[in-house]
Amino acid sequence: MKGFTGKRVGTSFPITDEECKQIHEAAVRVLEKGGMRCDDPRASKLFEKVGCKLENDGKLVKIPENVIQAAFKTCPSQFTIYGRSPKNDYDVVIGNGEIHFASVTGRYLRDIRTGERRKATRKDAIDGARMADALENVHGLYKAVMWLYDEPPIINSQILVGEMMKNSEKGMTWVYNTGAEHEVSDLIRLWEIAAGGKEALKKKPHVLGHVIINPPRVVDVHYTDWMIGFIDAGIPITVYSATIAGATGPATLAGMMVQVIAETLALVVLAQAYKPGHPLCYCSFNTSMDMRTGLWSFGNPEYATIGAGIAKMAGYHGVPCVAFGICDSCDTDQQTAYEKAFTLMNYALAGISLTWTLGGTAGFNFVTWDQMVLDNEVATYLGHYLKGIRVDAERLSEDVIMKVGPLPGSYMREAHTRKWYREEFLIPELSNRDFFETWERSHKELQEKAREKALKILDTYESKVPQEAQKEIDDYLDVVRKRGDVK
Amino acid sequence: MKMAQIDKDYFDKLAQTIVDCDKEACVRLVKEGLDKGTDPLEMISQGLGKGIKKVGDDFGTGACFLPELIGAADAMKEGVAILDENIKAQGKTRKSLGRIVIGTVKGDIHDIGKSVVAAVLQANGYDVVDLGIDVPEETFIKAVNEYQADCVAMSSLLTLTIQAMGTVIQKLKDAGVRNKVKVIVGGAPVTQEFADEIGADAYGHDAADAVHKMAILLGRK
């Protein structure tokens, strides 16, 4: 899917080129002198193979600068997450200068029909996937819901991914979920089935896989499993840290940049050691701790600022960057609106390629389909801001200015107006622009309009995934369900 | 008589070391007090205890935040450890609201929530033994016996690892100590339902709730 672009994408950063250099150099010193704890012998061996120094029985890896530079030589600067629609109109290019928006998730949701807040179920995963498939500014999917409380924990990921593959043709992303024994192999099998086979998935991967550091400075066994799984399947990855300033990272933003970039560089080295040339990108998921509760906070300015900084460092290293655009507010309210708007604007101006944001509130805790509709509208606004003021001979409009003015002329009846307004103005679908008196007499609240739109989608939208493809997925889910370990 | 040997503002100074999160000053003043023959029980009640209460109150009103609360609890712990030895040597016992062993269960390395709960409990007058993260089931059982704990507190952030909480409870039963300790559980995927299912005595949805439930569990409210 074509993302949003324009002259303002990638124009604003919280750090300069010189500061990028300082952060890079400090991060390299951390890796050279302090190193990374490595809990997985497979990873240690890979690090050693490309010239890193192992200490403490292979459990501490020290990474020299030349190894990092060599790893970047094989990283591509862009790659594609393919959609599965026959028209190929859902493909998303990561790193081509466009901003893409994707859905995000929650453990709880507000039932759109009853208004009740409750735990998510399999049916909600189906609804979430269809909502994301239907909305024009959802360019990709995160987990449709975080957890299926009506399915066994051990096969939760499999059922969730199965339903997503059955109900949306848009590309998706995956972060390690249960750690269950067959999670990696089952999900890869499901993605292969959805793609039309092993080779088809390699040729047109429709998933972006997440490989994450346990901060501070630990290469984790589970994520090494996932890294190997993703790379073997031909799935591009995003490598990053999930650091919380003041808890698992330092309390200065510059310090956060150093630690997070050091950790990210370690994963770049690891991934390129496993398969040189495998496509990867950075990701922003590094925020501050709320000092009242100890919770990670995502609606704060420092989160978006660090994210923009990571995007700048990604550019400095020649790889793309994606980000989580989630918020703190627990409901669909004013706080949600300003948190998301500020964060997303920051991301867009920093040139982040894709951000998971639509539908979710309260971190990863809450999701509502009316919020997804509202975020879809916010994305339209953002897309418009990003265009900036396009200046060219025709848009300078000298002829029509000379023709119409001075008063009593009017631009209302000019062909020039009819030609340009749709491209230059934003005409929103849901946002209110009524006369105050009209609005005062009677109006529908924005949330109600969003709810009605969401309900219409849920009532009428059918999955475009062919029946036989859906059946193949169901057949595999049957195999998974019948396996001995499902209680 | 002994009191005459210490400064009249000694206890205030001792309390202030906790407010300042100043571990070194706390230890130094505690040693100084002991050298001058000050009653260790009084040093806790009039000094360290008052300091941690001030920090707890400030945290409640938003005058300070978690870094101060945790720093104060750490300083308090150092001071109390020295005083406890002395109290024991004198054959006395110290009254505490209760002793809690706390940890993040096996398979889970998430530290923050557990550490926040530990600090808040400490600030509210409980003795807390923090077993850390990825704590094997047996370690909880051993700690209950070793520290004569009144309560076991378990945390987890992962949906699959919370199952380990049930195993710990079973092992407490097997070891014949389940009736001697209360069990409280918490963490994002934990619910009251789950707590009931595994036979925990309480579920705390956040640190303040944990303090509230602890008071009920240990019969202080």
Side-chain angles (χ1 to χ4, degrees), chain A residues 112-125:
Chain A
I112 193 155
R113 291 171 211 278
T114 66
E116 176 205 7
R117 283 196 191 89
R118 57 167 177 78
K119 289 175 179 170
T121 63
R122 180 178 190 160
K123 173 70 171 62
D124 299 318

Side-chain angles (χ1 to χ4, degrees), chain A residues 293-306:
Chain A
T293 58
L295 285 171
W296 51 8
S297 157
F298 290 103
N300 62 68
E302 52 273 20
Y303 175 55
T305 307
I306 293 169

Side-chain angles (χ1 to χ4, degrees), chain A residues 107-108 119 147 149 153-154 176-180 214 220 222 244 246-248 289-296 365, chain B residues 59 62 64-67 70 107 109-113 116 157-161 163 187-191 193 203 207:
Chain A
R107 294 187 292 137
Y108 300 94
K119 289 175 179 170
W147 195 260
Y149 283 93
I154 204 136
Y176 152 76
N177 208 26
T178 62
N214 277 337
D220 176 277
H222 296 299
I244 308 174
T248 55
M289 181 172 76
D290 175 68
M291 289 301 181
R292 290 188 188 94
T293 58
L295 285 171
W296 51 8
N365 281 304
Chain B
F59 181 72
C64 76
F65 296 98
L66 281 172
I70 289 171
I109 58 156
H110 290 95
D111 176 67
I112 300 171
V116 169
L157 191 69
L158 304 173
T159 312
L160 282 192
T161 55
Q163 306 303 333
V190 180
T191 58
E193 253 177 309
Y203 153 69

Side-chain angles (χ1 to χ4, degrees), chain A residues 432-445 449:
Chain A
N432 168 57
R433 289 176 169 185
D434 277 349
F435 285 102
F436 179 77
E437 290 80 0
T438 313
W439 177 85
E440 202 185 20
R441 245 192 317 268
S442 88
H443 69 272
K444 222 177 254 175
E445 294 292 347
K449 287 192 253 181

